[in-house]
Amino acid sequence: MSPLSAARAALRVYAMGAVVILAQLLRRCLGGFAEPAFPQQAGRVAVVTGGTEGIGYATCKRLARLGMHVVIAGNDRAKAEAAVRRIQEETLNDKVEFLYCDLASLESVRGFAHEFKEKKIPLHVLVNNAGVMMVPQRKTVDGFEEHFGLNYLGHFLLTNLLLDTLQESGCPGRSARVVTVSSATHYVGELDLGNLQSRGCYSPHGAYAGSKLALVLFTYHLQRLLAAQGSPVTANAADPGVVNTGLYKHVFWGTRLVKKLFGRWLFKTPDEGAWTSVYTAVTPELEGLGGRYLYNEKETTSLAVTYDRDLQQELWARSCVMTGIRDVTPDILAEGRLPRRETAALSPPLTGV
């Protein structure tokens, strides 16, 4: 990416953010955000990545209050254990626990999946929530650009490794659900399949927006595969809006100043930001429905390119190579039947495309 392109990416991201916060301000002036009514979820199990703070913490707390057994997947043990205690105390639900998972490490993701399966419990909801935002250029343990590697690739592998458990846990009329948290920045994101690692002139804004775009493409292709199998699992994307969390330490100083001075009016609270994720995870209105993009608890249209099936499939294929799992797309789409359950790594993960 050239310096001019990097500057353009930053302007596009901040412009999109301004559009969203102005829309949120207007809504506050017209009555604010009303919390949806959610049905109880006793007996169901959820995994939430990044559940120790911000939107993820609010999502865990709300799901626990609905009676779910919640497993927080995170990479900060002390913070996670404190979060578990607070949620248990506030919700009076003792079925809240923590399992270590560093999404920036494919080995750690595999370890989490193995440890979860060793519990021999079902999985009804997977919320792919964790992420980093506009961080300086750096790489994951496996050598991937961090936005792409953590925000997208870690969740891609995690979902694939837990998919058999989700399929076993869902049933007709009560599907299991994959909820992937994207962002309005995907509307200004670009994805260069020849440069998924953001080589050249690095733009943290472009890399972040691109990772959120990749998550939507992933969601739609996953749903296509699930539907072709007649699977009792659905996949949808959730957009929380612009939320007052701790993710803004790397953004433009002016944005941090606006957040500090006017955040209570312009930004959603973490609880408000979590409502769309929770809605997507539990509402009966989405039973059996996937391939949707949800914003403010309503279906909306994502960026036009996200509906490009060729792009979805090519990104999926390259992601399989990078994470070392078998691409079952040809089997499923060509024959319309269940593939062999081969989601474990078949070869060492590669580190570039």
Side-chain angles (χ1 to χ4, degrees), residues 73-75 77 99-115 141-142 154 157-158 161:
N75 64 355
R77 193 172 299 276
L99 289 179
Y100 185 86
C101 181
D102 181 359
L103 287 162
S105 164
L106 299 183
E107 181 181 0
S108 179
V109 173
R110 295 181 194 281
F112 171 88
H114 175 75
E115 190 173 357
V141 172
D142 303 288
L157 178 61
L158 179 65
L161 294 177

Side-chain angles (χ1 to χ4, degrees), residues 1 103-106 131-154 190-192 195-212 214 322 350-353:
M1 181 177 286
L103 287 162
S105 164
L106 299 183
V132 294
M133 186 170 76
M134 302 175 200
V135 297
Q137 186 171 19
R138 56 198 189 196
K139 293 183 178 182
T140 67
V141 172
D142 303 288
F144 300 109
E145 187 280 318
E146 189 168 7
H147 292 95
F148 182 80
L150 191 158
N151 293 4
Y152 168 69
L153 211 56
E190 297 177 346
L191 204 62
D192 181 358
N195 187 23
L196 292 174
Q197 306 307 317
S198 300
R199 299 186 184 94
C201 183
Y202 176 73
S203 165
H205 307 85
Y208 174 71
S211 72
K212 292 300 181 178
M322 287 186 280
L350 307 179
T351 57
V353 171

Side-chain angles (χ1 to χ4, degrees), residues 46-65 68-75 79-80 82-84 86-88 90-91 96-98 103 125-132 155 179-182 212 238-241 243-248 268-279 281:
V47 167
V48 181
T49 67
T52 59
E53 57 188 334
I55 299 170
Y57 175 80
T59 299
C60 290
K61 185 169 67 174
R62 198 67 183 88
L63 293 177
R65 189 163 280 139
M68 294 193 82
H69 178 168
V70 179
V71 179
I72 298 176
N75 64 355
K79 189 179 293 185
V84 167
R86 290 198 308 273
I87 293 173
Q88 289 176 337
E90 292 180 30
T91 66
V96 181
E97 60 180 306
F98 163 71
L103 287 162
V125 173
L126 170 62
V127 183
N128 292 322
N129 166 83
V132 294
H155 285 123
V179 179
T180 297
V181 179
S182 184
K212 292 300 181 178
D239 181 344
V243 184
N244 193 347
T245 69
L247 286 176
Y248 294 84
K268 286 184 179 181
T269 66
D271 284 338
E272 291 169 339
W275 288 344
T276 298
S277 296
V278 176
Y279 174 86

Side-chain angles (χ1 to χ4, degrees), residues 9-304:
L11 288 173
R12 284 161 61 91
V13 166
Y14 288 122
M16 177 54 65
V19 169
V20 175
I21 62 175
L22 287 175
Q24 292 180 178
L25 175 61
L26 178 61
R27 181 157 176 172
R28 287 218 188 279
C29 293
L30 296 177
F33 297 91
E35 181 175 6
F38 300 122
Q40 287 296 305
Q41 301 291 307
R44 288 171 73 80
V45 180
V47 167
V48 181
T49 67
T52 59
E53 57 188 334
I55 299 170
Y57 175 80
T59 299
C60 290
K61 185 169 67 174
R62 198 67 183 88
L63 293 177
R65 189 163 280 139
L66 294 175
M68 294 193 82
H69 178 168
V70 179
V71 179
I72 298 176
N75 64 355
D76 187 324
R77 193 172 299 276
K79 189 179 293 185
E81 290 172 352
V84 167
R85 286 194 299 271
R86 290 198 308 273
I87 293 173
Q88 289 176 337
E89 291 170 0
E90 292 180 30
T91 66
L92 302 180
N93 181 349
D94 61 355
K95 291 186 176 180
V96 181
E97 60 180 306
F98 163 71
L99 289 179
Y100 185 86
C101 181
D102 181 359
L103 287 162
S105 164
L106 299 183
E107 181 181 0
S108 179
V109 173
R110 295 181 194 281
F112 171 88
H114 175 75
E115 190 173 357
F116 178 83
K117 290 182 179 184
E118 285 294 299
K119 290 180 170 293
K120 307 298 181 183
I121 59 176
L123 177 60
H124 303 98
V125 173
L126 170 62
V127 183
N128 292 322
N129 166 83
V132 294
M133 186 170 76
M134 302 175 200
V135 297
Q137 186 171 19
R138 56 198 189 196
K139 293 183 178 182
T140 67
V141 172
D142 303 288
F144 300 109
E145 187 280 318
E146 189 168 7
H147 292 95
F148 182 80
L150 191 158
N151 293 4
Y152 168 69
L153 211 56
H155 285 123
F156 173 88
L157 178 61
L158 179 65
T159 302
N160 275 280
L161 294 177
L162 295 178
L163 201 52
D164 55 349
T165 306
L166 286 159
Q167 290 174 326
E168 291 166 359
S169 305
C171 61
R174 200 75 192 275
S175 59
R177 304 185 184 192
V178 178
V179 179
T180 297
V181 179
S182 184
S183 161
T185 56
H186 94 271
Y187 287 108
V188 296
E190 297 177 346
L191 204 62
D192 181 358
L193 292 178
N195 187 23
L196 292 174
Q197 306 307 317
S198 300
R199 299 186 184 94
C201 183
Y202 176 73
S203 165
H205 307 85
Y208 174 71
S211 72
K212 292 300 181 178
L213 174 59
L215 286 169
V216 181
L217 289 161
F218 153 71
T219 297
Y220 291 169
H221 188 70
L222 174 60
Q223 176 58 34
R224 185 183 177 198
L225 297 180
L226 293 168
Q229 298 176 79
S231 174
V233 182
T234 60
N236 290 293
D239 181 344
V242 177
V243 184
N244 193 347
T245 69
L247 286 176
Y248 294 84
K249 55 187 173 183
H250 296 294
V251 303
F252 173 58
W253 67 267
T255 302
R256 297 198 301 272
L257 181 61
V258 169
K259 174 176 173 288
K260 183 177 181 180
L261 296 177
F262 307 109
R264 61 178 298 185
W265 296 286
L266 299 176
F267 289 59
K268 286 184 179 181
T269 66
D271 284 338
E272 291 169 339
W275 288 344
T276 298
S277 296
V278 176
Y279 174 86
T280 309
V282 306
T283 180
E285 295 177 12
L286 286 175
E287 177 53 48
L289 301 177
R292 268 70 171 171
Y293 187 89
L294 284 295
Y295 174 60
N296 285 337
E297 300 82 64
K298 294 181 180 179
E299 182 181 352
T300 189
T301 303
S302 56
L303 184 66

